[in-house]
Amino acid sequence: MKRLLSIVGARPQFMKAAALWRAAGGVGAVDLRLLHTGQHYDREMSEVFFDELQLPRPDYQLHVGSATHAMQTARMLEGIEEVLLRDRFDGVIVYGDTNSTLAGALAAAKLQIPVYHVEAGLRSNNMAMPEEQNRIVADHLSSLCFAPTQTAVENLQHEGLSLKTRLSGDVMYDNSLYYASLATEKNNVLDRLGLIPGEYVLATVHRDFNTDNPDRLNSIMQALSEIARNARVILPLHPRTAQRLSSLHASLSTLSILPPASFFDMIELERHAQVVLTDSGGVQKEAFFYGVSTVILRPETEWVEIVEQDAGILADADPQRIIDAYHRLSGHRVTFPSLFGDGHAAEYILREILDFVD
Ligand code: UD1
């Protein structure tokens, strides 16, 4: 029986870890444990997902909370190292590109414990993003890099990492297939909010370069208010965005502002939206899986496939570009080709890890 530690900390990682958790039940011969760094800690940012995703409570909780990047990462490094020194693991699995990913990869690699990176090889080629810094380091420290797309494979090849790269498909696509019917069955968010399918817009803004730059945040909110003349705009807010909005000039009275959405609420809101406007990678992709197009509130994206398929437009934080992109995409359904695997990425990843460990 091989013992693996799955390290999570931020909202999107709970979802990715849940895919591996389900797969572990079918693959056998693996004792998968869970460590939560505590990077996200509000109930709506953390616990809610454990409930909906049917994830077990973490075996290890670090409660690091919010801090500067270095301080937060340092607290995680100390806590993760302590766990890895105390209990023996055959490998550590990290997900995506957050500070929890970086800390997990670094702590394990320093102890010569193999690291497996799920959602490897994504690049924005914008080194100012903390996520870009985190994923590059994690990829280079990993024993196996699980790339969700062919583009990600090519990015890893360019960095000389071909030998340890595996094209796995995307565990988020596994999830979109698995949870779609469950979300509909167990959820009535559209009724609760009085929404008609196809007649509202879903928006999310959480990236630091948007929230922490008042000009960009103002411009985005202006564009959303303009769009709200045509369709209801639903805006579930990340706690940091909520803090920043309080000091903004733009009027927000025409927007439907909500607390952070649960996973099932989000799936339902994404699936039935006329258009999604977002700076989140995960939300862009989920919308795409459900045939909904996206105005991307960033200058670039790691998920270039979405733009190449005409299912997304890069509009940055420019109000006119955002509004034009919204008009071009509204009501435009997408039939997406299978670029993200066959829905069994998590099983493949676990099997590859177990082979590697042997
Ligand atoms: C992190 C990831 C980002 C990911 C996002 C998903 C990094 C560098 N970034 O960004 O890649 O897309 O998670 O949501 O790891 N806060 C709360 N309660 C919480 C969590 C955060 O109030 O439960 C507030 C705090 O003010 C905190 C701020 O949000 O300082 C930022 O949180 P943090 O986890 O540092 O980064 P995210 O922006 O969430």
Side-chain angles (χ1 to χ4, degrees), residues 12 39-42 66 97-99 131 206 238-240 243:
Q39 176 169 354
H40 285 176
Y41 45 86
D42 286 352
S66 299
D97 54 21
T98 74
N99 291 343
E131 291 84 0
H206 81 281
H238 184 290
R240 184 185 37 209
Q243 289 161 21

Side-chain angles (χ1 to χ4, degrees), residues 3-4 36 39 102 114 163-164 173 194-195 208 218 233 251 268 307-308 313 315-316 318:
R3 214 152 171 242
L4 301 172
H36 187 342
Q39 176 169 354
L102 172 69
L163 283 179
K164 58 184 191 178
Y173 181 53
L195 295 174
D208 58 358
N218 242 319
V233 174
S251 161
E268 283 299 277
V307 176
E308 285 164 6
I313 294 179
D316 204 357
D318 178 324

